[in-house]
Amino acid sequence: MLELVSLFAVFIAIFLFGMTVMRTGLYNLTGDKIKVWLIRFTDNPIKGLLTGTIITAIIQSSSAVMVLVIGLIAAGYLTFKQSIGIILGTNIGTTFTTEIITFDIYEGIIPLLIIGFLCLFINNQQVFSFGGFIFGLGCMFVAMNGFEQLARPISEFPSIHTFFQRTNESELFGVGIGTVLTAIIQSSTATTGIIMGFMNEKLLSLDAGIAVLLGANIGTCITAFIASIGSRHEAKLAAYAHIWINLIGVALFFPFINVLGTIATLLTSLPDVQIAHVSFIFNVLTSLLFLPFTGLLNKFILKVHRPA
């Protein structure tokens, strides 16, 4: 059992490594434009949401964008009020990655890795950055295949089997698992990828997978919170807003897990694509629900988290 769990941990590391390499490649392709966009196009919540969505789709990490936003607030380039729209956008933008990793390109993984690897040796920043994107994407697909291959053998151990049973029986337990796992590995996308692997092997039900997904949206807040420690108070407020938005969003949709599952089954019969679509639907609806109330949320955060 220890060998299988260790191998599973290796695939998690490969997934996170792939995300980092892909994100770095995409970020280098845009240069410092991302910081300029965050400062220039976030003067109202709608612009902030659109900018946050686009930038997160480019960087492929809501946590990375949140860390960048907190840094800009700490440096005085952004205000806390501007960050609310961006936060709503990051929650939408991060769902594009989960949609990408559902593509069935098993035969194209090796070419992706080879082309990406070769591009890393070319002395041209654009080609090098593109190579990083391609190579990182290939690593993520390798990890996804690893998750699926190991899901069944791992589940055969009594303790793990009991764990899956508990997750399938209790949606609240699933939310807790998603929160803790994502807080540990600091990537909601990686957690979603793991869910997909187990769902494809029919070890997790759709409702259980959605519950873990909701928890992942809470757990992903830990990165921004850690980044805000030691920063000025306004930067901390952005981290608090991120937590409140995701907590309230999960609380609002938790009673409707069955509804989200029904919608997903109407859209596709593939388990991994179902969970990707639920992630997109949940985050879009949550962000749109909050958008008209950004002013109230701003006042709420300022009141609840006053300086000591």
Side-chain angles (χ1 to χ4, degrees), residues 24-291:
T24 303
L26 287 169
Y27 184 81
N28 288 338
L29 284 172
T30 59
D32 291 328
K33 291 180 181 178
I34 286 177
K35 292 181 181 179
V36 174
W37 294 341
L38 283 171
I39 296 169
R40 184 178 298 177
F41 302 115
T42 56
D43 54 333
N44 68 60
I46 296 177
K47 283 185 180 179
L49 183 144
L50 293 174
T51 303
T53 299
I54 294 169
I55 290 177
T56 306
I58 292 172
I59 296 184
Q60 300 285 308
S61 172
S62 60
S63 297
V65 176
M66 281 302 304
V67 170
L68 183 59
V69 167
I70 286 171
L72 290 173
I73 294 174
Y77 292 109
L78 282 177
T79 64
F80 161 60
K81 189 174 182 180
Q82 283 177 284
S83 73
I84 295 177
I86 300 171
I87 293 169
L88 298 179
T90 61
N91 285 346
I92 297 174
T94 193
T95 63
F96 294 131
T97 313
T98 58
E99 294 285 355
I100 290 173
I101 59 178
T102 62
F103 295 159
D104 186 11
I105 60 166
Y106 181 77
E107 294 180 355
I109 292 176
I110 299 300
L112 275 178
L113 291 171
I114 293 174
I115 293 171
F117 184 75
L118 292 176
C119 287
L120 295 177
F121 291 92
I122 296 176
N123 190 24
N124 180 288
Q125 184 174 350
Q126 298 298 315
V127 176
F128 177 86
S129 299
F130 179 73
F133 166 69
I134 294 296
F135 185 76
L137 186 62
C139 289
M140 290 173 69
F141 280 113
V142 168
M144 286 298 299
N145 278 280
F147 293 152
E148 289 189 26
Q149 294 297 322
L150 291 176
R152 181 65 61 181
I154 286 178
S155 69
E156 292 177 355
F157 292 97
S159 57
I160 303 296
H161 182 72
T162 302
F163 173 80
F164 280 119
Q165 277 189 323
R166 180 74 184 276
T167 307
N168 286 324
E169 292 169 0
S170 173
E171 293 167 352
L172 191 59
F173 182 77
V175 172
I177 290 299
T179 302
V180 173
L181 179 60
T182 306
I184 293 172
I185 63 179
Q186 297 195 27
S187 172
S188 59
T189 304
T191 299
T192 306
I194 294 169
I195 297 170
M196 289 175 177
F198 288 120
M199 287 182 63
N200 282 340
E201 292 299 314
K202 298 181 172 26
L203 299 172
L204 276 180
S205 67
L206 178 56
D207 287 355
I210 294 172
V212 178
L213 174 72
L214 295 181
N217 278 269
I218 299 174
T220 194
C221 299
I222 189 69
T223 307
F225 179 75
I226 292 172
S228 71
I229 296 175
S231 300
R232 55 190 287 192
H233 182 67
E234 195 170 15
K236 292 179 180 178
L237 292 178
Y240 293 142
H242 191 211
I243 294 170
W244 277 109
I245 288 170
N246 286 13
L247 274 175
I248 295 171
V250 169
L252 287 174
F253 282 92
F254 181 78
F256 303 104
I257 286 178
N258 290 333
V259 176
L260 290 171
T262 301
I263 294 171
T265 55
L266 292 174
L267 295 174
T268 178
S269 61
L270 301 174
D272 57 340
V273 182
Q274 287 174 347
I275 204 70
H277 288 350
V278 168
S279 177
F280 178 77
I281 293 168
F282 163 73
N283 283 289
V284 168
L285 289 179
T286 300
S287 295
L288 292 180
L289 284 172
F290 271 103
L291 188 60

Side-chain angles (χ1 to χ4, degrees), residues 9-29:
V10 169
F11 280 117
I12 293 176
I14 291 173
F15 190 96
L16 294 174
F17 171 76
M19 275 196 66
T20 302
V21 173
M22 185 175 69
R23 180 170 67 241
T24 303
L26 287 169
Y27 184 81
N28 288 338
L29 284 172

